[in-house]
Amino acid sequence: MVVPTLFGLEGIVARELRFLDCEDVQAENGRVLFSGDWEDVARTNLNLRSGERVQILLARFYARTFDELFEGVRRIPLEAYIGRKEAFPVKGWSLNSQLHSVPDCQKIIKKAAVERLKTHYHVSWFEETGSTVQIQFSILKDEVMILLDTSGAGLHKRGYRKNSNEAPIKETLAAGILSLARVRSDTVFCDPMCGSGTFLIEAALDALHIAPGLNRKFACEKWGAFPAAAMRQAREAALNNIRRDASFRAYGYDISEEAVALTQENAKKAGVAARIRVKQQDIRDFSLDALHSERATIVCNPPYGERLLEVKAAQELCAQMGKVLEKREGFHYFVITPDEQFEQVFGRRADKRRKLYNGMIKCQLYQYFK
């Protein structure tokens, strides 16, 4: 199996897989590999918080010619996964390889798949009117990986965020940051610039041990080869794992009334609204005392602009944030931003920094926990 990841989250995803008792877990750049069966496909799709999707690795081989690509694909026992009427489209990418034309690679892989399945099903053509079994490929430095996508929509699509503000943070990235922040079942959590509520909701889901995939379906559930019992059992186990006795509570603030309403709506869809209190408030009026706790974890993704005036306004906001997020024992802060001058603007050096990507934007996670 292969779980693609956002750059910087490979170790976190590997840890999640080991926690799910997956075997042979191995982190590589941008992905994590592991060994598993259909039960593991179901469990990982339901429970992974920081992984992008779950793929079945069918083959890994080198190909420098179209003939080598064709033969490599034709050797794969695709009939074990693709039914006679199921659709099997092909998509993928190639980088630094002899076979650099993606459309040509798609055609060759499709042709090889058809030839393999024609031999098995004894038909001359495929109507492809059934469910979709998506074939994916990657070619990096002439090494080919042929995969099946079991997830469908990316795993960041939890089902609770149909609407969002202008610059939402991806759910999988938020979950990875919360893992670094060590959110627990008894954490008092806060996002003073909550936007559409992603950090608040992901923190609540994690603290309450609610599987992030409980409110959605996955592509593999429609496959003829996939045993329905595997997902049914995984869902039952996930429901039994929920920590309803957790003392976790979260506070969210935003200057925008619309953002506050959006957070409340999304939290309700995610089933965690009872754990989250949201209020319209400027960061200048924020106070740690409002959290009514001697310790708390505060995580945020402050706005940042691309034009000079927007950047200046964003830095002024971070300077104000540095004043209200004062250094106090028991209070830990995690801020993700692309602003390389953040520490200077915030007013103190981070205890630790970690490079992450928010979409295509290179960021740093500034961590204050001492």
Side-chain angles (χ1 to χ4, degrees):
M1 309 289 180
V2 177
V3 179
T5 74
L6 299 172
F7 285 106
L9 296 186
E10 296 91 345
I12 291 169
V13 172
R15 187 170 63 202
E16 286 188 50
L17 288 166
R18 292 188 185 101
F19 183 78
L20 291 170
D21 294 326
C22 295
E23 298 180 350
D24 304 322
V25 177
Q26 181 182 345
E28 298 183 353
N29 281 337
R31 63 191 175 206
V32 183
L33 282 67
F34 71 99
S35 299
D37 52 22
W38 287 122
E39 284 71 26
D40 293 299
V41 168
R43 286 192 304 114
T44 52
N45 269 305
L46 266 181
N47 292 286
L48 278 178
R49 298 186 187 279
S50 305
E52 294 302 300
R53 58 182 64 250
V54 179
Q55 302 165 319
I56 298 172
L57 177 56
L58 299 179
R60 195 172 189 174
F61 57 91
Y62 283 91
R64 295 174 180 83
T65 67
F66 287 128
D67 284 342
E68 289 175 343
L69 180 61
F70 181 89
E71 291 303 326
V73 174
R74 193 165 65 168
R75 285 193 292 268
I76 301 170
L78 293 170
E79 63 276 4
Y81 304 94
I82 302 172
R84 182 171 178 170
K85 293 186 177 181
E86 289 178 321
F88 48 102
V90 177
K91 67 178 181 181
W93 54 268
S94 177
L95 188 64
N96 299 332
S97 301
Q98 293 291 316
L99 302 177
H100 54 81
S101 170
V102 170
D104 287 341
C105 291
Q106 284 177 294
K107 291 174 186 175
I108 294 297
I109 293 170
K110 180 71 174 186
K111 184 178 179 182
V114 167
E115 290 302 314
R116 172 79 193 201
L117 294 172
K118 276 169 63 174
T119 302
H120 180 79
Y121 290 116
H122 306 290
V123 296
S124 58
W125 66 283
F126 294 91
E127 55 188 73
E128 298 193 52
T129 55
S131 57
T132 298
V133 182
Q134 178 70 60
I135 298 176
Q136 296 184 331
F137 70 90
S138 67
I139 309 177
L140 178 62
K141 296 180 180 178
D142 299 323
E143 185 183 33
V144 181
M145 294 179 75
I146 305 294
L147 313 110
L148 296 183
D149 173 30
T150 71
S151 302
L155 294 183
H156 69 283
K157 298 279 190 180
R158 317 292 208 208
Y160 67 75
R161 199 174 75 176
K162 297 279 171 50
N163 302 308
S164 64
N165 59 340
E166 288 183 3
I169 193 165
K170 201 172 185 181
E171 292 87 339
T172 43
L173 176 57
I177 291 170
L178 293 168
S179 179
L180 292 169
R182 300 185 180 180
V183 169
R184 299 290 185 262
S185 60
D186 61 348
T187 295
V188 175
F189 184 83
C190 177
D191 182 350
M193 301 179 190
C194 64
S196 54
T198 305
F199 275 130
L200 297 166
I201 294 167
E202 290 295 322
L205 293 175
D206 193 359
L208 273 58
H209 294 186
I210 299 174
L214 268 178
N215 291 330
R216 57 161 287 177
K217 297 288 187 179
F218 305 95
C220 60
E221 293 184 75
K222 296 182 179 179
W223 298 358
F226 182 79
M231 190 62 74
R232 185 169 62 250
Q233 290 167 5
R235 288 186 185 278
E236 288 174 2
L239 286 169
N240 291 331
N241 194 43
I242 295 175
R243 286 283 307 273
R244 303 181 195 281
D245 62 337
S247 61
F248 172 90
R249 54 190 167 93
Y251 298 85
Y253 304 92
D254 201 283
I255 196 171
S256 164
E257 187 177 348
E258 182 182 343
V260 169
L262 203 52
T263 294
Q264 292 170 330
E265 179 187 344
N266 291 338
K268 189 175 181 180
K269 287 177 185 173
V272 294
R275 302 289 182 148
I276 298 172
R277 300 175 191 175
V278 195
K279 179 181 177 183
Q280 182 184 7
Q281 181 176 278
D282 192 308
I283 186 67
R284 293 169 180 82
D285 300 321
F286 177 79
S287 169
L288 295 178
D289 296 332
L291 304 182
H292 307 293
S293 177
E294 294 182 354
R295 58 187 178 91
T297 298
I298 295 163
V299 182
C300 71
N301 173 34
Y304 40 86
E306 295 179 4
R307 291 183 287 273
L308 187 60
L309 286 175
E310 292 175 344
V311 170
K312 187 177 179 182
Q315 288 185 335
E316 289 174 358
L317 205 59
C318 287
Q320 188 63 43
M321 189 166 66
K323 294 176 182 177
V324 297
L325 300 184
E326 63 190 76
K327 190 170 184 177
R328 188 187 294 188
E329 187 177 352
F331 288 78
H332 301 161
Y333 310 123
F334 299 80
V335 183
I336 181 170
T337 175
D339 187 356
E340 295 179 359
Q341 296 179 314
F342 173 78
E343 289 170 308
Q344 181 181 340
V345 173
F346 188 70
R348 57 189 188 272
R349 291 180 63 85
D351 298 313
K352 195 173 182 179
R353 299 192 338 182
R354 189 184 185 108
K355 185 167 72 174
L356 296 171
Y357 281 84
N358 188 1
M360 297 301 291
I361 304 171
K362 185 173 77 171
C363 297
Q364 291 281 350
L365 177 66
Y366 295 91
Q367 306 169 54
Y368 298 84
F369 46 77
K370 291 181 181 178

